[in-house]
Amino acid sequence: MPLLRAQYPTAAIGLVNEGVSGQEAPVELLRFDSDVISHHPDLVIWQIGTNAVWQDPGQVPRPPTFFETTKAIQDGLGRLRNETEADVILMDLQYVPALLTPAKKNKAIAMVSWPVMGASTCFAALPS
């Protein structure tokens, strides 16, 4: 924030970090009203996908499926478009060694590819 404040000394710049480590998009979407929309943001940076790739489908309780996760992200993007004037940055998953194993590779590629495939939602996927 010091760099932004130095560049724009008269602007009112605030930061609200509502991220919850380990939370998946379907649960994050449940918090959108209180944790995102209510702040009337100008910019939303939403990191997605790491947990969806990392999760073991055999764990209890069962983690959200790929479809449930991508649907929640699409719904969240729609809400941001329709209920705010915010610019949105989708930050893709973290490329930590555990996600780059052969067992996780296809899921990781799918997670970063689907926003491009669904670009009709009027959001662009930016490369990391």
Side-chain angles (χ1 to χ4, degrees), residues 20-22 47-54 91-101 104 108 111-112 128:
V20 177
S21 180
Q47 182 176 3
I48 57 168
T50 303
N51 296 322
V53 172
W54 175 254
M91 186 168 57
D92 65 10
L93 56 105
Q94 301 171 29
Y95 292 95
V96 296
L99 293 180
L100 299 177
T101 64
K104 303 286 185 186
M111 183 53 66
V112 298
S128 303

Side-chain angles (χ1 to χ4, degrees), residues 32 35 58 78 85 95 111 118:
F32 253 46
D35 292 0
E85 295 182 19
Y95 292 95
M111 183 53 66

Side-chain angles (χ1 to χ4, degrees), residues 32-113:
F32 253 46
D33 284 328
S34 62
D35 292 0
V36 181
I37 307 294
S38 68
H39 292 290
H40 308 288
D42 294 311
L43 173 66
V44 174
I45 302 172
W46 191 5
Q47 182 176 3
I48 57 168
T50 303
N51 296 322
V53 172
W54 175 254
Q55 300 295 354
D56 174 6
Q59 79 183 41
V60 177
R62 176 189 65 77
T65 65
F66 180 81
F67 174 78
E68 291 166 336
T69 298
T70 56
K71 173 82 168 89
I73 294 166
Q74 288 174 332
D75 291 349
L77 291 173
R79 292 202 53 205
L80 290 169
R81 180 186 58 217
N82 296 330
E83 299 176 37
T84 75
E85 295 182 19
D87 290 323
V88 178
I89 296 173
L90 280 182
M91 186 168 57
D92 65 10
L93 56 105
Q94 301 171 29
Y95 292 95
V96 296
L99 293 180
L100 299 177
T101 64
K104 303 286 185 186
K105 178 183 171 187
N106 290 340
K107 215 172 175 185
I109 290 170
M111 183 53 66
V112 298
S113 298

